[in-house]
Each structure stands twice: as C-alpha cells, then as structure tokens.
Amino acid sequence: MKGSRQNEGFHTVEVGETAFTVLERYQNLRQVGTGAQGVVAAAYDTQLKQNVAIKKLSRPFQNVTHAKRAYRELRLMSLVNHKNIIRLMNVFTSQKTLEDFQDVYMVMELMEANLSQVVNLELDHERLSYLLYQLLCGVRHLHAAGIIHRDLKPSNIAVKSDCSLKILDFGLARTANQGFLMTPYVVTRYYRSPEVILGMSYSGTVDIWSIGCIFGEMVRGQVLFPGSDHIDQWNKIIETLGSPTPEFVNRLQPAVSNYVRTRPHYRGMSFSRLFPDGCFPTESGGSRALAAQARDLLQKMLELDPNKRINIDDALRHPYTNIWYEPSEVEAPPPLQYDNSLDERELTVEQWREELWREVINWR
Ligand SMILES: CN(c1nccc(-c2cnc3ccccn23)n1)C1CCCCC1
C-alpha cells in the first residue's frame, strides 16, 4: 500500500480507516482489530526481523478516562515482566513537540487471536486447563505488583495456536469511571464480580470471579451472565447461583443492601446442572474425573461471597491446574510495586497531555 514520508524516519500508511505514522523500521501494516483505546495493526519489524503488534492511541489525552488508562498502561507495562502478560517492546510518537503531540504508538508482541475467538471452540481438557493455568499465572503476577485488574474479559486476553496466552491490558484504575465512554465502544460488564457490581470494597479475588466467568464460558460456549446493565447483571447472577447469604448482604452499603433484599429468593442451580458432563470434552479415558475437577474449580471461583471465593494460589494448586505448575512461572520474581496513588491524581487534560508526552519521550 503506498505510504508517504511525512517527517524523517517515519512513514504513513492507512490501516483500515486509520492513518498510522510509524517508524520506518515497521513495514507491512495490516489491521488485526479495534479495542477500547484504538486500532491494533500487525507489522513486520525490519530491525528485530519479527512480526509485532502496534496499537495506536489516538489523542489519548482527549479526556481524563482515556488519559488515565493510557498513562497507567504505559507505566504498568514498563513495570511488569511475565510471559503471560503482553510485553511492551517500543513506544513512539511522530510528533516532535508537546504542542504538536497527538498520538502514541505502542509496539508489542504479536499474538494470533483474542480469547473471544476461541471461547466457542471445543477445547480438550489439556488446552482448557493450560489456558486457565496461564491466566492464573499472569493475574498472580499483576497482584504481586499490587495491581488488581477488575476488568478481565476474553477480548483483553490474546492466544496463539501453540496455546500460549497473554493478558493484553491492565484493566480499570481504582478511580476509573465505570461506564460512560465517549467512544461508541460498549463496556462489557459480563465478567465483573458481585463486589464490583455492588460497589463493595474489593480485593484480588475480583479477578478470580472474572476468570471463573471466562473459564465457564469456554466450557459452555456461551456467556454465563450476559447482563444488559448492573441491575440485570446482578439478577442473572443470583438466578443462576442463588441468592447471597444474609451475612454477605449485611456487608453491603445500606442503599445497596435494601435493594438486594427486595430481590426474590433464588436457590440457584447445581453446578452439575450448570456444567453437565456433556459440555466437557470427552476424549481419552479419565475425562469424567477431569470434568468433575473442572466443575469443582468453577464452583470455587464462582462463589458470590469474595470472603469464601478461592484465591489465586489455591486455584493454581487445584488438581485441575496444578499439572502445569512450574515454580519459575508461578513465582516469577515480583516486579516493582505499582504506586496506586498515581490513579488517584485528578489532572486536567492539558496536564495529562504533558504527563503522557513525558512518558513517551523518556520511554527506555
Ligand atoms: C487491544 N488489543 C490488543 N492490544 C495489544 C495487543 C494486541 C494483539 C497482539 N497480537 C494480537 C493478535 C490479534 C489481536 C490482537 N493482538 N491486541 C486487541 C484489539 C483487537 C481486539 C482484541 C484486543
């Protein structure tokens, strides 16, 4: 596709509807998809002689939500280093001054698909348990850095045909506004935990709930709790899993516990009805035992009460996943701690523009 040389060392190429102005070293750009923050292209890096993914953040400082997410992602990606979290290989902008600063390009490892394109496949237990193990390893590493993702879903997880898996982003900042985005992009809430939906205080087990929803979807081939909004999301969860205990309800803020108490009482479905043997792969012998192990782990992850929900380390030692247990992968040296106070800062768009500019030009 014809490109045009705009300024030294860069060339501009149309990727779908979006103009990418990238360093000369990146050639053969082709679109792989569009996420919440912008367009992602695959490219060939003529210096490293390998394929890469390039994500274009268009005017990431256009509002506080975009700016916070972009800044946090740049900081966090430079902080963590784990095989199950996408690696940031380069960051650049073609603009030469803060005044002209418009776009940020993030160069990352190229995967082959995101998990949304895989959840409908009939995966055997070996692949299913390996994907689940890698997701738990990646999230454990984030938690070791003091990062709680809170927004894990199939579209921000990427995979390759060799069944390797990488988490693509770092989810929601503590103070992120939960729903309204300027873009037509729809926020998917299907995987958000009860404590996030109900505005409770939360801990790392919010991510275990999301992983349970993703795991359950890979088994069932359909979204477990496809709520149209937070109310509908909650109703679908309690209709399926049963109503929360009074002890859980008493921990809610008054207005929320009053609402929750108005809901009809549901017993919930048994997990052998929710995930019957028929929806598990039936390959070589022992698959019934594996189905029972998978169902047991699902039940412990999809526990409504975060205090009773299985934690990451116990999930990694569960019979269904511990077959893959490698201390070097699970206990990879904890990265530096992320200073969450950065999330609390309330800056103007102009201040965020400067912060982002500094992050980009000072990047390694
Ligand atoms: C936000 N996204 C994203 N961020 C960073 C890296 C990648 C990436 C790397 N390799 C591949 C291969 C296929 C699809 C995506 N990727 N994707 C995606 C945008 C499209 C929808 C899925 C997420």
Side-chain angles (χ1 to χ4, degrees):
M1 187 175 298
K2 175 128 181 53
S4 65
R5 182 187 298 280
Q6 275 202 335
N7 28 32
E8 200 37 49
F10 289 84
H11 68 121
T12 299
V13 178
E14 284 302 305
V15 175
E17 308 286 304
T18 308
F20 272 55
T21 302
V22 299
L23 290 165
E24 284 284 2
R25 67 187 278 191
Y26 300 114
Q27 294 291 326
N28 307 341
L29 271 73
R30 57 209 180 277
Q31 184 163 341
V32 288
T34 304
Q37 291 170 292
V39 178
V40 176
Y44 180 71
D45 181 345
T46 55
Q47 280 187 25
L48 292 181
K49 300 205 181 333
Q50 70 178 74
N51 286 320
V52 294
I54 304 179
K55 177 161 77 171
K56 176 182 183 182
L57 305 182
S58 299
R59 294 184 54 73
F61 42 77
Q62 60 190 277
N63 62 49
V64 172
T65 307
H66 277 83
K68 247 188 196 181
R69 180 153 195 168
Y71 179 79
R72 185 169 178 270
E73 190 167 336
L74 274 179
R75 298 266 328 210
L76 292 179
M77 274 200 172
S78 314
L79 192 78
V80 300
N81 170 27
H82 189 275
K83 64 194 298 191
N84 299 122
I85 295 167
I86 199 94
R87 185 162 56 90
L88 184 61
M89 301 164 71
N90 196 0
V91 182
F92 61 85
T93 175
S94 64
Q95 285 93 36
K96 300 285 180 251
T97 64
L98 171 60
E99 289 62 41
D100 297 345
F101 181 42
Q102 289 293 321
D103 310 311
V104 176
Y105 293 87
M106 298 169 70
V107 183
M108 291 162 277
E109 301 164 276
L110 181 64
M111 301 293 282
E112 288 167 25
N114 71 65
L115 211 54
S116 316
Q117 297 155 290
V118 170
V119 285
N120 302 312
L121 300 183
E122 290 272 316
L123 294 171
D124 54 53
H125 278 297
E126 191 176 14
R127 285 184 177 80
L128 202 51
S129 60
Y130 186 46
L131 290 171
L132 179 61
Y133 166 78
Q134 293 176 90
L135 190 45
L136 287 164
C137 276
V139 171
R140 189 186 184 285
H141 193 73
L142 292 180
H143 289 183
I147 302 158
I148 298 176
H149 192 289
R150 288 197 306 142
D151 195 28
L152 283 169
K153 50 195 167 191
S155 65
N156 55 27
I157 297 164
V159 291
K160 286 174 85 166
S161 47
D162 63 1
C163 212
S164 58
L165 174 148
K166 293 180 192 286
I167 298 168
L168 294 178
D169 69 10
F170 296 89
L172 301 175
R174 276 185 200 286
T175 54
N177 77 329
Q178 303 251 334
F180 176 67
L181 283 174
M182 310 287 272
T183 57
Y185 190 77
V186 178
V187 181
T188 301
R189 291 185 187 79
Y190 304 156
Y191 310 89
R192 292 219 179 134
S193 66
E195 56 271 32
V196 169
I197 293 169
L198 299 176
M200 298 167 77
S201 64
Y202 61 84
S203 72
T205 50
V206 296
D207 291 329
I208 286 283
W209 172 274
S210 305
I211 295 172
C213 291
I214 295 165
F215 179 27
E217 185 171 336
M218 290 199 284
V219 169
R220 281 223 341 233
Q222 61 185 50
V223 179
L224 293 192
F225 311 116
S228 51
D229 53 43
H230 270 180
I231 299 278
D232 187 36
Q233 189 73 30
W234 177 247
N235 289 333
K236 285 189 162 57
I237 290 170
I238 56 176
E239 284 159 18
T240 308
L241 299 180
S243 300
T245 61
E247 183 257 329
F248 173 89
V249 178
N250 291 335
R251 299 205 312 262
L252 297 171
Q253 297 156 34
V256 181
S257 57
N258 289 340
Y259 167 73
V260 167
R261 288 194 181 99
T262 65
R263 300 291 85 210
H265 182 77
Y266 296 102
R267 284 173 43 80
M269 294 162 62
S270 74
F271 268 64
S272 38
R273 237 188 88 204
L274 251 180
F275 300 101
D277 281 348
C279 60
F280 288 98
T282 51
E283 76 275 9
S284 56
S287 60
R288 284 182 65 87
L290 286 169
Q293 281 177 7
R295 196 178 291 121
D296 177 69
L297 181 50
L298 272 166
Q299 180 142 24
K300 288 169 176 160
M301 293 179 132
L302 295 174
E303 167 55 60
L304 217 59
D305 188 338
N307 293 355
K308 296 178 188 155
R309 199 177 301 151
I310 192 170
N311 65 38
I312 287 256
D313 287 321
D314 293 343
L316 279 161
R317 292 196 181 283
H318 188 279
Y320 192 65
T321 48
N322 73 3
I323 50 173
W324 301 104
Y325 199 101
E326 278 289 334
S328 63
E329 295 166 344
V330 178
E331 295 140 20
L336 305 171
Q337 288 298 310
Y338 176 61
D339 173 4
N340 274 297
S341 68
L342 295 173
D343 286 356
E344 322 297 344
R345 289 186 304 167
E346 295 306 330
L347 304 180
T348 65
V349 165
E350 267 319 300
Q351 287 169 324
W352 276 120
R353 181 197 195 124
E354 195 154 342
E355 287 286 331
L356 278 164
W357 168 255
R358 243 204 300 278
E359 276 303 304
V360 173
I361 54 174
N362 295 332
W363 193 80
R364 183 170 354 157

